[in-house]
Amino acid sequence: MKKRLLLEQERIQKRVRELAEEINTSYGDEKLIIVPILRGGFMFSADLIRHLRMPVEIDFLTTSSYGNATVTSGDVQIYSDVRSNLKGNHVLVVDDIIDSGKTIAHVKDHILSKEPKSLKFCTLLDKPSRRRVEISSDFVGFTIDDLFIVGYGLDYQGLYRNIPYIFVFEEDKE
Ligand code: IMP
Ligand code: MG
């Protein structure tokens, strides 16, 4: 299969800096607990938090829904929970992409039960045409079409998360 470049490294990094500025403006000097969703959100969140200026605490949540499929099973599970006490704190959950919306909807209920002061979501990518539950992300980097994309934290069968740009696999033409 051939790789077709969708978002190059420089374009992603520029947008990440812009998103960080939106977040800086939105929270000011208030302490913020950033919760990247693993595994997909690790690279985006690591780049994003370098540009944040408020006091930042970082914690992690691991979810799974896809297995090795490219379409969600919809059965979202929390594999490992945050360790911090979120109660009374501003929480920003960071993920790679919002697709059906089921992951974020599940994480939303889960985190709200911990009584944060506020809860928002930041996703690098958004595929609104695939939404199955009514939910949106508060900070979005790029809105994309219904394509299965890979790289910059997003995997295909567990691989390619390390690639610093985002691409689509295309069938080889004869
Ligand atoms: P949702 O629950 O359907 O919104 O799916 C969210 C999760 O599915 C993301 O955190 C990704 O891990 C994964 N995902 C959704 N679309 C893609 C894609 O195009 N490529 C790779 N992973 C994806
Ligand atoms: Mg994910």
Side-chain angles (χ1 to χ4, degrees):
M1 283 197 287
K2 262 186 6 205
K3 283 185 192 168
R4 178 167 66 83
L5 182 66
L6 190 72
L7 294 167
E8 64 184 11
Q9 195 171 350
E10 292 71 22
R11 188 155 169 226
I12 295 170
Q13 293 303 329
K14 177 168 179 277
R15 190 69 189 118
V16 169
R17 289 194 298 274
E18 289 170 359
L19 280 175
E21 282 314 317
E22 280 182 45
I23 294 165
N24 282 325
T25 303
S26 176
Y27 291 93
D29 294 329
E30 301 243 24
K31 175 186 144 184
L32 183 58
I33 303 186
I34 301 279
V35 179
I37 301 186
L38 299 178
R39 289 173 281 186
F42 82 99
M43 195 177 281
F44 170 45
S45 56
D47 285 343
L48 184 76
I49 60 173
R50 287 168 227 238
H51 304 291
L52 297 180
R53 289 190 292 271
M54 69 290 283
V56 166
E57 194 176 317
I58 186 137
D59 206 334
F60 299 95
L61 191 72
T62 305
T63 62
S64 174
S65 68
Y66 273 53
N68 272 342
T70 58
V71 175
T72 182
S73 63
D75 180 20
V76 179
Q77 289 175 355
I78 293 187
Y79 274 178
S80 66
D81 202 353
V82 293
R83 290 159 63 182
S84 318
N85 184 5
L86 303 183
K87 189 169 179 167
N89 286 290
H90 293 295
V91 175
L92 180 66
V93 172
V94 179
D95 204 2
D96 48 3
I97 188 165
I98 172 166
D99 185 37
S100 73
K102 289 185 176 179
T103 300
I104 277 181
H106 187 84
V107 169
K108 185 176 182 181
D109 289 345
H110 178 75
I111 299 227
L112 284 179
S113 73
K114 298 175 189 286
E115 302 176 42
K117 191 185 224 170
S118 73
L119 173 61
K120 287 191 174 176
F121 288 86
C122 175
T123 58
L124 181 67
L125 300 139
D126 186 1
K127 282 197 250 179
S129 63
R130 304 231 332 144
R131 205 72 90 249
R132 302 267 304 278
V133 293
E134 208 174 306
I135 194 157
S136 58
S137 177
D138 302 278
F139 304 95
V140 173
F142 301 97
T143 299
I144 59 165
D145 293 336
D146 181 8
L147 295 166
F148 191 79
I149 55 167
V150 188
Y152 198 69
L154 295 126
D155 72 302
Y156 172 63
Q157 299 190 347
L159 298 175
Y160 311 107
R161 293 188 198 271
N162 58 305
I163 306 293
Y165 52 86
I166 291 175
F167 65 95
V168 181
F169 275 121
E170 286 190 334
E171 301 292 331
D172 289 322
K173 295 202 179 78
E174 303 288 301

